[in-house]
């Protein structure tokens, strides 16, 4: 049986969790489109979102006014198996026929600093931002790593303290790879956030993010992730296994 308490949606399986997360995301998009001419969604990559993306693309949702951005991207070509764009394109963007003009990918094939600067420029232009403002996404989709990272903000990353920037290139030492990531101020500003976590290896980080003392440098996924009903967690039973019973 699923159990619901507070901002946690715990499901018996990843299939159920993806279904519930998709329904929640679509509802936030509908709300946004009822109030404004477009909806802006920022999505993450990795493995977990694939099922969610396929549920979204199969939903029959009316996508032409939805604009898709990325929470983070690996600095690789869009054809790379490592590319978050490639994952989303195959599971969501193409099957859902999301218009190319609505797809705002990070140009991972460019040098990291250039890719980050171009992405920030595209976000500023789309949201028509003043210099001191960050974009407000209608829905931000995040994951959590086994080390409690989120986006491409890994433990110890100094940019975790940044609250004014929009996106930046980071070098992830443990992965020996460059990435472009949205920065905390954007994650905090999101109208609604979903965080997906599945599998036993996420049980410890999920517990630490929710119940350990606030320390985003150690647990970056704590950014915009607790104490607010604007962030809803979608967990399978394994990822929730260290959460104390209500
Ligand atoms: C990425 C993601 C990253 C992801 C976590 C969880 O580019 O890898 O944006 O933040 O959400 O690493 O990834 P899994 O779903 O593969 O466990």
């Amino acid at each position: 049986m699923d159990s619901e308490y507070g901002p946690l949606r715990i499901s018996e399986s990843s299939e159920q969790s993806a279904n519930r997360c998709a329904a929640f995301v679509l509802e936030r998009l509908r709300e946004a489109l009822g109030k404004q001419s477009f909806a802006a969604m920022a999505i993450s990559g990795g493995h977990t979102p694939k099922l969610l993306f396929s549920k979204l693309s199969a939903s029959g949702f009316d996508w032409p006014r939805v604009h898709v951005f990325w929470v983070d991207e690996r600095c690789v070509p869009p054809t790379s198996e490592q590319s978050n764009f490639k994952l989303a394109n195959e599971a969501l963007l193409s099957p859902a026929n999301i218009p190319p003009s609505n797809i705002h990918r990070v140009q991972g094939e460019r040098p990291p600093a250039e890719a980050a600067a171009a992405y920030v420029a595209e976000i500023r232009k789309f949201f028509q931002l003043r210099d001191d403002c960050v974009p407000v996404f209608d829905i931000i989709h995040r994951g959590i790593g086994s080390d409690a990272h989120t986006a491409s903000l890994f433990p110890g990353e100094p940019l975790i303290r940044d609250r004014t920037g929009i996106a930046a290139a980071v070098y992830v030492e443990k992965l020996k790879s460059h990435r472009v990531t949205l920065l905390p101020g954007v994650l905090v500003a999101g109208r609604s956030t979903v965080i997906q976590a599945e599998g036993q290896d996420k049980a410890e980080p999920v517990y630490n993010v929710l119940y350990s003392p606030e320390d985003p440098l150690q647990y970056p996924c704590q950014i915009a992730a607790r104490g607010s009903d604007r962030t809803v967690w979608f967990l399978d039973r394994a990822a929730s296994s260290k959460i104390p019973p209500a």
Side-chain angles (χ1 to χ4, degrees), residues 44-49 72 74 84 143-145 149-152 179 202:
S44 289
H47 300 94
T48 307
D72 65 335
R74 291 83 180 276
N84 288 341
I144 180 173
H149 82 260
T150 197
S152 285
R179 298 201 174 180
K202 303 297 176 73

Side-chain angles (χ1 to χ4, degrees), residues 43-49 71-74 82 84 141-147 149-154 175 179 196 198 201-202:
I43 57 177
S44 289
H47 300 94
T48 307
V71 169
D72 65 335
E73 180 58 280
R74 291 83 180 276
Q82 286 298 311
N84 288 341
H141 162 263
R142 290 164 42 192
I144 180 173
S146 54
D147 58 2
H149 82 260
T150 197
S152 285
L153 298 168
F154 285 72
L175 301 177
R179 298 201 174 180
Q196 280 189 287
E198 293 168 4
D201 68 320
K202 303 297 176 73

Side-chain angles (χ1 to χ4, degrees), residues 83-146:
S83 166
N84 288 341
F85 166 80
K86 184 175 189 290
L87 167 76
N89 192 41
E90 290 170 354
L92 172 57
L93 309 179
S94 291
N97 291 312
I98 294 181
S101 58
N102 291 26
I103 298 169
H104 308 271
R105 73 176 183 91
V106 177
Q107 297 166 44
E109 66 277 18
R110 295 176 63 174
E114 283 183 27
Y119 192 46
V120 169
E122 179 151 358
I123 289 174
R124 284 193 181 285
K125 181 179 174 199
F126 177 81
F127 287 93
Q128 299 177 335
L129 292 179
R130 292 201 328 265
D131 281 353
D132 58 347
C133 291
V134 296
V136 177
F137 285 97
D138 295 295
I139 182 82
I140 295 177
H141 162 263
R142 290 164 42 192
I144 180 173
S146 54

Side-chain angles (χ1 to χ4, degrees), residues 197-209:
E198 293 168 4
Q200 195 58 43
D201 68 320
K202 303 297 176 73
E204 185 81 17
V206 167
Y207 174 83
N208 284 324
V209 168

